[in-house]
Amino acid sequence: MPRLLTRGLQRVVVAPAVIALTVLMWTTLPLWLVAAGILSPFVPGWLRPVRLLWLAVVHLTLESVALVELFGLWIASGLGWRLRSPFFERIHYDIAQAYLVVFFREARRVLRLKIETVGPAPDAGPGEPLLVFCRHAGPGDSFTLMYALMHWYGREPRVVLKETLAWDPMVGVLLHRLPSRFISARPDPGRDVETEVGELARDLDANDAFVIFPEGGNFTPARRERAIKRLQRLGLHRMAERAEQMIHVLAPRPGGVLAALDAAPEADVLLVAHTGLDHVVSIADVWHSLPMDKRLLMGWWRIPREEIPEDREGRIEWLFEWWTRVDEWIDENRPVELSRR
């Protein structure tokens, strides 16, 4: 579907539908709470339906409020004329951060999660932008990473995402106004992932963090097998062998990483991994597998630019070595149950 048509449907149909659904949820909330309470004894996890229902209400409410704010900013900017100016860009980052702060505080409270970081914090001083390469295993890790970068470390992320995520009205509207790229599986003629990534990674400011997920998609066992077979079909047998040794991650696709390294030669690299949100990809996963009453870990590795090889083959080897370390770290750091008080 053409991008302009997608964005038109998103703004005219999907966004109003989300706001209408939010109003409906609030007006019928007592009925939903009664139904969730009746269902709770029959599913695993303490009050799982009630807790997930409340998070859904919080998310829809925050998304609807943000959509109204974004519409107001579009009007205030002269019907979009000045939306790309630094003033309005800063306001859009503030909206994103406000959503993440409120939602994650409520999620940690309701689900009783404790998130701890391992490794050096990415709080580089002025004049030190970062390239962030993150392990990908569902939307939960993406939102957690954005929350950490913006709220803990004061960064302004530039994000590379799949085009399908633009169907979320708040994400689509907000990130189309900020430095970001929605990558299509079928790019327009003359456009490819490397071109899109390179353009986004250029001219990073002192507090910017360019974010990309080198695996290219959420981890699943089936995708892992397909990634290995793809490497074998391409004749990259050594990479396929290394991918077979990695159990918890997909083999990284080096194209976007190489384009980012070339476009931002002044930036250090931050590698990020996490445990606990590994298999939360679909709505069914949220219902059955969303971690509750657990301690989750995020691992950070800061790699100075001078430690990264300059040649293409050396960088690919470097990326696979680090992804092997990420896989080993995930295996050694599984979620821990929190004791009940």
Side-chain angles (χ1 to χ4, degrees):
M1 184 179 294
R3 293 187 181 184
L4 288 177
L5 178 58
T6 300
R7 293 172 67 176
L9 289 173
Q10 174 198 76
R11 286 156 174 75
V12 176
V13 178
V14 182
V18 168
I19 295 174
L21 178 60
T22 303
V23 174
L24 177 64
M25 286 285 289
W26 275 107
T27 55
T28 59
L29 186 58
L31 297 177
W32 287 101
L33 287 173
V34 170
I38 294 173
L39 186 60
S40 291
F42 303 99
V43 298
W46 181 69
L47 293 179
R48 177 178 287 266
V50 176
R51 296 158 88 179
L52 293 182
L53 170 64
W54 179 244
L55 282 187
V57 172
V58 171
H59 165 69
L60 284 172
T61 302
L62 292 173
E63 180 139 336
S64 296
V65 170
L67 286 170
V68 173
E69 291 176 331
L70 293 171
F71 181 67
L73 287 174
W74 179 74
I75 295 175
S77 67
L79 304 184
W81 177 53
R82 298 184 63 244
L83 273 178
R84 297 284 181 175
S85 68
F87 174 77
F88 281 98
E89 181 178 292
R90 182 62 257 171
I91 295 176
H92 282 77
Y93 273 121
D94 288 342
I95 291 175
Q97 183 172 347
Y99 166 86
L100 291 169
V101 168
V102 175
F103 183 78
F104 268 88
R105 284 179 178 173
E106 193 64 9
R108 286 188 296 181
R109 183 187 70 84
V110 173
L111 300 180
R112 200 167 166 269
L113 298 176
K114 184 177 182 181
I115 301 176
E116 297 181 0
T117 60
V118 179
D123 50 353
E128 296 184 8
L130 289 173
L131 299 176
V132 182
F133 304 151
C134 184
R135 178 246 182 151
H136 204 357
D141 68 338
S142 307
F143 281 100
T144 303
L145 175 62
M146 294 301 106
Y147 170 81
L149 289 174
M150 297 186 73
H151 184 57
W152 292 346
Y153 306 120
R155 293 283 174 164
E156 294 183 348
R158 299 187 184 187
V159 194
V160 179
L161 314 93
K162 281 190 171 182
E163 193 174 42
T164 52
L165 292 175
W167 279 103
D168 181 289
M170 184 189 71
V171 172
V173 174
L174 186 65
L175 293 188
H176 272 117
R177 299 180 184 180
L178 292 173
S180 63
R181 287 292 188 280
F182 289 96
I183 301 299
S184 172
R186 298 178 179 177
D188 297 332
R191 308 293 298 179
D192 53 31
V193 173
E194 289 77 10
T195 300
E196 299 277 0
V197 168
E199 290 180 356
L200 186 61
R202 288 193 187 97
D203 302 321
L204 297 176
D205 294 333
N207 63 339
D208 282 338
F210 172 88
V211 180
I212 192 171
F213 301 89
E215 291 159 291
N218 299 323
F219 174 88
T220 65
R223 280 182 176 166
R224 175 179 173 273
E225 291 299 321
R226 288 199 297 269
I228 294 171
K229 291 178 180 178
R230 175 177 173 274
L231 291 172
Q232 291 171 339
R233 286 197 309 270
L234 294 173
L236 303 173
H237 301 296
R238 185 167 179 271
M239 288 187 184
E241 291 174 0
R242 298 186 70 169
E244 288 177 337
Q245 297 171 3
M246 295 186 284
I247 306 301
H248 306 288
V249 297
L250 303 178
R253 298 187 175 190
V257 171
L258 297 177
L261 290 171
D262 288 339
E266 74 287 358
D268 286 352
V269 167
L270 188 73
L271 286 167
V272 185
H274 60 85
T275 60
L277 300 171
D278 312 50
H279 305 295
V280 185
V281 177
S282 65
I283 297 299
D285 295 331
V286 171
W287 178 258
H288 294 290
S289 306
L290 189 68
M292 295 182 177
D293 308 304
K294 285 182 169 55
R295 177 174 63 88
L296 311 180
L297 291 179
M298 292 185 70
W300 307 82
W301 296 270
R302 175 80 177 266
I303 300 102
R305 190 51 180 251
E306 58 268 19
E307 295 182 9
I308 301 173
E310 293 294 333
D311 62 292
R312 177 183 176 86
E313 296 304 319
R315 286 179 173 177
I316 294 175
E317 178 69 19
W318 168 85
L319 178 61
F320 267 79
E321 287 178 356
W322 268 105
W323 231 244
T324 301
R325 291 179 62 175
V326 167
D327 181 69
E328 294 170 351
W329 182 89
I330 293 169
D331 191 60
E332 295 168 359
N333 293 274
R334 308 310 299 168
V336 176
E337 295 282 348
L338 294 176
S339 59
R340 290 198 174 276
R341 297 176 179 175

